[in-house]
Structures are given as C-alpha cells and as structure tokens.
C-alpha cells in the first residue's frame, strides 16, 4: 500500500479497495468499512464532503425531512424513521446519531441545502473519515494481476490500483434529450436566481420533481409558467413512491386548475428556437389533438440526470434507461466483477418491486442502509470477515422480527425505509433454533437459494397501507410470502401467534 501522509491521506498506489466519491454514499460506506476493519482509500473530486449537496437542490430546500421534534430521541435508533438525512453510526458511536437536526436553520423540517452540507461535513469530521479531496477520477482500465484482475483508476492525482472499487458518484450529470434547440437553453443546474425571472414567461421542459421544484419556486416571480412533457404528471399520493411529484411542489397543480397563470401540458417538445429576445417552443399534444407554438422569455430544461460513468461502459459495465444507471446484482455489483456502486447510484439494483413500488435507494434515507449492507458483503466476500451470527430460538426469532417490523431498535428503521427491498434474515440450524444473519437484499434471499429460513420485510400494498411480509425459504426456494394485517400505527406485535403458526407450518412442510 502507498505510504499515507498528512497532506494527502491516500497518495497514488496499490490499495485493497478504493471508494470514489465523498457524498452520503461514499461517506457512509467508508465509515462502515472501517468499522469492519477493511483498509481502503477514498478519492473525491470535490473540495470537501457532501457530494451533490454542495450545489443542489438549485432552490436550496431538501425534499426529505429531518424532524427536530419527533416521538424518539435524536440519539436513538428509533429516530432514524423521522430523520431521512443523517448518516448512520454503529454501536458505541451514539454521539454521531441524528446530526442533521443539529445543523438546520429552523425555518422548516426540510433542511436547506447548506444545512445538508453542514450535516454531512459534521459527520465526516466527527467520524474522522479520511478522503483525498481534489482528486478527480478521469479514466479506468482493467489489468490482470497475480491474484486476479485489478481495476486501475487514472486520476488527476495519479494512478490507483485495487481489486475492488466502489463508485459512489451519484446520478448528477445533466441529461438532455435530442430535441432540436434544447442544447441552447439552460439545464436545471444552470438556471438563474429566481428573482431574474420576475415578470417573465417561463417554459419548463419536464414534469417531474425538478420541473415542479422550479415552477413552485417561480410562482412568486414569473408572470406565466408552462410545464410540458409527453406523459401526465403524477403526484406522490398517486404513485406511493418518490418518483411522484412530492407534496411540497403541488401548488402549481392548483394554480393550473384555478387559472393562476400556470399551464401543465402533455405534449412532445418538437423544437426550441430563438425568437427575438426569447424563445419559441413547438409542442405536439399527446392526445393527437394538434399542437401549439409557445413563446417564452426563458426556457429551462428540467430533463433529468444520468450517472457519470465515464469509460466504465466500454469496460463492460452495462447500463439501463435514460439515466444510464449501471445494471447491478442485488449486492450492487456491476456486470464487471469487482466493481460496485454505493449511494443514489445503487438504485440500479431494483429489487423485487412488489406491487410496482420501487425502493428508496435513490435517496439518502434508503441508500445509507444499502451502504451498510454492501460494506458487510464486501468484508465477507473479499476480505474474509466472519460476522457474529448468534443462534436464537424460534420463539425469540418471531418476537424479534415483529419488534423490528414495528420499529424497535436493530433493523427496524432499515425495514421501514427500504420496504420490499431489504429483509431481516434468519436461517434454520440443523440442531435447532435459527441463526441470525442480519439484513440482506430481499431479492438475494428469495432468488439466491440457501438454507431453510425466513426473510422478513415490510410491504406497501396497492392501497398504500403498510403490512409485514415474511418470505419462507424451504428446500432452496420461496413461494409467496406470509402476510400479516396492516396496522394504522405500524405496530404488528400482537400478531405473533399468527406469524409462528403460518411460518412454522411452511418450514415443517
């Protein structure tokens, strides 16, 4: 390994593992790896911790809450349910819990962008996470080594080599469709301060959260706002997941319905061209009824982002969708062995998608748990770490499962935030009892085979109600899960006899 120095904790050289990125995913992973004794280097092009939150969201207020006053102490595990932005410490580091609430401006339980950056900086400093900042990843190669393939990272600071590399680089590279003229208008991250649009007609290309964030921010300033894209906008209340437009941005819907100068249009953007000091946007309506030429003073492309993978696809890393998010195994490994992903980019491992509801991996409150699970997986598979897996009686297991599904300390918050995605796993021991194997991706438990056991998770039904789903693996395969009744207070502990009877019968069949 290269010699560490005070000025650059990770100079170029050979390492057992390299993490690229210092946003929430990279910081959470590095912290968890160090707790497991896995030596690694962390590289970042940024000047300090925070990742995308050093510059976005553009209108400065987060979509995810941290509630300073909640039905749980800030330094407790239970508080994670009410704090979607803090990174997670391990046992014995309770002083690192709930740090985001200590760095908020008091104006809202949604942190400002600067608050979010401050919270991440506080965690990195208090946890003594070391990063080589100002080190930009530029290109990648794979070379044969004496023990197997080695990933070579060429950076602005030199060359790094490791058999395992984790990219925590976000999904924050602006993406534009091929619409003629769209290259000449600013993207979401390039728009002017909202005051600059005072008295202007503004056309926004895109009707997802970033588009409605802009529209909502312009309501006090712009004379008229048009949002357009081919598909109808859907709210969180309709989708039951974070893909839908969040409640904080629904005011433009009301203004549209009440004739308040906001127009929400379903149509394809055919072209954008200059017209005097402004623009003309030609739109064909999605219902086939014709089209319209919209004149606007300003046009903003809220057309989304893609993963900044550089040359990884040329090395065999497969991607999917408009955002070019890498295809991943349930344990977030790319189609090239030894390359993993953490943070919001881990959404490339889609999971089971029960009832069509995706995971929260694209947000901090979901990705932070993925990073913890990934750290343990890497430690076990690549570095021989042997985890503590106590054997418990079946009676104790059923009680523990229902406690955690109801929010008790342990894995309760992870199951609540990563529904139908992460599972609490116990495996049947030949001599009796069940081995506590912690938490793992549900898809791996269901499809990966293995000893008889159970994988407990929470599931959101088509009606939006939350209920436990306990998968039973018998002779290497799983059938439909045992499901329990919903609870309006998310407390399922009174259903222990039902759980024991149904699971027990399946395991003994």
């Amino acid at each position: 390994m290269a010699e560490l120095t005070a000025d650059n904790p990770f100079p170029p050289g050979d390492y057992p593992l390299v993490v690229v990125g210092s946003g929430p995913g990279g910081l959470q992973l590095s912290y968890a790896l160090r707790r497991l004794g896995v030596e690694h280097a962390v590289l970042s092009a940024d000047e300090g911790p925070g990742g995308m939150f050093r510059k976005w969201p553009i209108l400065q207020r987060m979509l995810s809450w941290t509630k300073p006053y909640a039905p749980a102490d800030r330094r407790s595990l239970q508080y994670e349910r009410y704090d979607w932005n803090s990174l997670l410490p391990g046992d014995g580091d309770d002083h690192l819990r709930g740090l985001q609430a200590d760095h908020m401006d008091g104006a809202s339980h949604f942190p400002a962008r600067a608050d979010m950056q401050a919270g991440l900086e506080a965690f990195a400093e208090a946890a003594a996470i070391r990063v080589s900042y100002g080190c930009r990843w530029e290109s990648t190669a794979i070379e044969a080594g004496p023990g197997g393939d080695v990933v070579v990272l060429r950076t602005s600071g030199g060359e790094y080599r490791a058999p395992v590399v984790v990219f925590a680089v976000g999904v924050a590279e602006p993406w534009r469709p091929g619409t003629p003229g769209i290259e000449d208008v600013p993207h979401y991250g390039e728009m002017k301060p909202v005051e600059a649009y005072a008295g202007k007609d503004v056309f926004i290309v895109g009707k997802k959260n970033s588009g409605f964030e802009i529209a909502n921010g312009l309501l006090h300033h712009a004379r008229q706002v048009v949002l357009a894209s081919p598909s109808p906008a859907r709210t969180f209340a309709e989708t039951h997941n974070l893909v839908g437009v969040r409640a904080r941005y629904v005011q433009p819907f009301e203004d549209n319905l009440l004739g308040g100068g906001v127009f929400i249009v379903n149509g394809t953007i055919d072209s954008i061209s200059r017209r005097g000091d402004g623009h003309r946007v030609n739109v064909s309506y999605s219902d086939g009824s014709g089209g319209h030429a919209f004149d606007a003073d300003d046009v903003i492309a809220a057309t989304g982002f893609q993963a900044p993978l550089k040359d990884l696809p040329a090395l065999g890393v497969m991607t999917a969708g408009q955002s070019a998010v890498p295809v991943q195994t349930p344990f977030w490994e790319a189609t090239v062995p030894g390359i993993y992903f953490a943070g919001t980019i881990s959404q490339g491992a889609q999971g089971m998608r029960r009832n069509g509801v995706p995971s929260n991996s694209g947000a901090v409150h979901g990705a932070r748990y993925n990073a913890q699970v990934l750290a343990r997986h890497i430690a076990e598979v690549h570095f021989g770490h042997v985890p503590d897996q106590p054997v418990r009686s079946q009676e104790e297991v059923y009680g523990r499962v229902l406690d955690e599904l109801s929010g008790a300390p342990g894995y309760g918050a992870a199951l609540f935030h990563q529904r139908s995605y992460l599972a609490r796993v116990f495996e049947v021991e030949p001599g009796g009892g069940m081995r506590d194997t912690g938490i793992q991706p549900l898809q791996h438990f269901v499809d990966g085979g293995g000893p008889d056991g159970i994988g407990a998770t929470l599931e959101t039904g088509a009606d939006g109600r939350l209920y436990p789903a306990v998968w039973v693996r018998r002779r290497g395969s799983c059938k439909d899960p045992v499901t329990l009744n919903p609870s309006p207070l998310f407390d399922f502990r009174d259903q222990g006899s039902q759980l024991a009877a149904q699971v027990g019968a399946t395991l003994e069949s």
Side-chain angles (χ1 to χ4, degrees):
M1 179 182 294
E3 180 182 356
L4 305 183
T5 67
D7 293 336
N8 182 0
F10 305 111
D14 295 335
Y15 292 87
L17 186 154
V18 173
V19 178
V20 180
S22 60
L27 297 176
Q28 184 71 76
L29 180 66
S30 179
Y31 172 84
L33 288 169
R34 192 181 66 195
R35 297 257 312 177
L36 294 168
V38 177
E39 294 292 332
H40 62 283
V42 185
L43 314 177
S44 175
D46 292 332
E47 297 176 356
M52 65 170 285
F53 298 114
R54 296 181 67 83
K55 58 180 179 178
W56 292 334
I58 196 69
L59 296 182
Q60 303 299 305
R61 187 66 69 177
M62 302 294 296
L63 266 176
S64 52
W65 64 52
T66 290
K67 299 193 173 183
Y69 305 102
D73 184 86
R74 286 188 192 177
R75 302 298 185 243
S76 69
L77 280 163
Q78 292 97 320
Y79 183 63
E80 292 173 19
R81 179 178 289 192
Y82 309 98
D83 177 8
W84 290 23
N85 298 297
S86 294
L87 298 185
L88 308 176
D91 293 340
D93 279 351
D94 287 348
H95 65 290
L96 298 176
R97 293 193 186 282
L99 292 185
Q100 186 56 57
D102 300 335
H103 299 273
M104 292 173 64
D105 60 13
S108 171
H109 62 290
F110 294 96
R113 185 212 58 75
D115 301 341
M116 186 68 182
Q117 179 181 336
L120 293 169
E121 289 173 341
F123 183 91
E125 180 179 358
I129 298 175
R130 296 182 301 171
V131 180
S132 284
Y133 292 110
C135 182
R136 185 178 62 258
W137 163 49
E138 296 178 338
S139 65
T140 324
I142 295 178
E143 297 179 357
D149 286 346
V150 173
V151 181
V152 182
L153 299 173
R154 301 185 181 101
T155 78
S156 59
E159 190 171 281
Y160 292 78
R161 301 166 57 88
V164 181
V165 175
V166 184
F167 292 94
V169 293
V171 185
E173 187 172 89
W175 179 85
R176 288 177 170 89
T179 306
I182 201 168
E183 69 278 2
D184 297 324
V185 303
H187 193 268
Y188 165 89
E190 302 163 341
M191 66 176 284
K192 297 173 287 189
V194 290
E195 294 81 6
Y197 299 96
K200 302 289 186 66
D201 293 345
V202 182
F203 191 102
I204 300 169
V205 182
K207 300 204 302 286
K208 294 188 177 179
N209 274 303
S210 59
F212 275 87
E213 177 195 353
I214 295 170
N216 194 64
L218 293 180
L219 291 178
H220 179 67
H221 302 279
R223 181 175 61 181
Q224 175 178 289
V225 175
V226 177
L227 299 99
S229 69
S231 299
R234 301 181 67 202
T235 66
F236 174 85
E238 297 171 288
T239 65
H240 297 157
N241 63 69
L242 300 184
V243 174
V245 177
R246 301 291 297 280
R248 288 187 54 232
Y249 300 151
V250 298
Q251 188 62 45
F253 283 102
E254 181 175 295
D255 283 28
N256 172 67
L257 291 172
L258 298 178
V262 175
F263 299 90
I264 299 175
V265 177
N266 298 331
T268 299
I269 314 301
D270 296 321
S271 65
I272 303 170
S273 59
R274 295 292 307 184
R275 181 176 174 83
D277 294 333
H279 298 81
R280 169 159 287 186
V281 185
N282 291 299
V283 177
S284 295
Y285 296 139
S286 297
D287 62 6
S289 61
H292 187 75
F294 293 84
D295 289 330
D297 297 304
D298 289 279
V299 178
I300 304 169
T303 49
F305 302 87
Q306 61 184 5
L309 298 181
K310 300 187 186 297
D311 53 3
L312 290 182
L315 299 179
V317 173
M318 295 177 61
T319 64
Q322 168 191 306
S323 297
V325 172
V327 175
Q328 298 160 49
T329 71
F331 278 108
W332 308 285
E333 187 171 17
T335 46
V336 175
I339 292 178
Y340 291 85
F341 297 94
T344 186
I345 203 170
S346 67
Q347 64 189 279
Q350 293 190 341
M352 300 285 291
R353 295 179 69 87
R354 291 275 293 178
N355 297 313
V357 177
S359 72
N360 290 321
S361 298
V364 173
H365 67 288
R368 60 188 180 178
Y369 298 106
N370 295 355
Q372 290 181 319
V373 176
L374 174 59
R376 192 181 76 168
H377 175 75
I378 288 175
E380 293 177 22
V381 171
H382 295 281
F383 297 96
H385 174 75
V386 180
D388 180 31
Q389 296 182 340
V391 176
R392 308 183 188 280
S393 68
Q394 287 198 14
E395 183 180 68
E396 181 185 2
V397 165
Y398 298 143
R400 184 174 290 259
V401 163
L402 290 176
D403 281 347
E404 293 187 6
L405 291 173
S406 301
Y411 297 102
L415 299 173
F416 181 82
H417 287 306
Q418 288 291 66
R419 305 170 193 177
S420 297
Y421 191 81
L422 296 178
R424 187 70 167 94
V425 177
F426 294 86
E427 296 179 347
V428 175
E429 280 287 286
M434 303 183 80
R435 182 170 298 280
D436 185 343
T437 60
I439 194 166
Q440 61 184 239
L442 175 63
Q443 185 177 12
H444 173 76
F445 177 83
V446 172
D447 297 336
D452 291 356
I454 64 170
T457 189
L458 288 170
E459 188 167 286
T460 302
D463 60 1
R465 294 196 297 171
L466 188 69
Y467 57 87
V470 182
W471 296 78
V472 182
R473 189 166 60 203
R474 177 69 169 148
R475 299 186 182 91
S477 64
C478 295
K479 297 182 179 179
D480 288 340
V482 171
T483 57
L484 302 182
N485 296 323
S487 164
L489 298 179
F490 306 146
D491 190 341
F492 312 103
R493 288 171 291 187
D494 61 350
Q495 301 183 59
S497 57
Q498 177 186 348
L499 175 65
Q502 292 185 258
V503 170
T506 305
L507 285 173
E508 295 169 7
S509 63

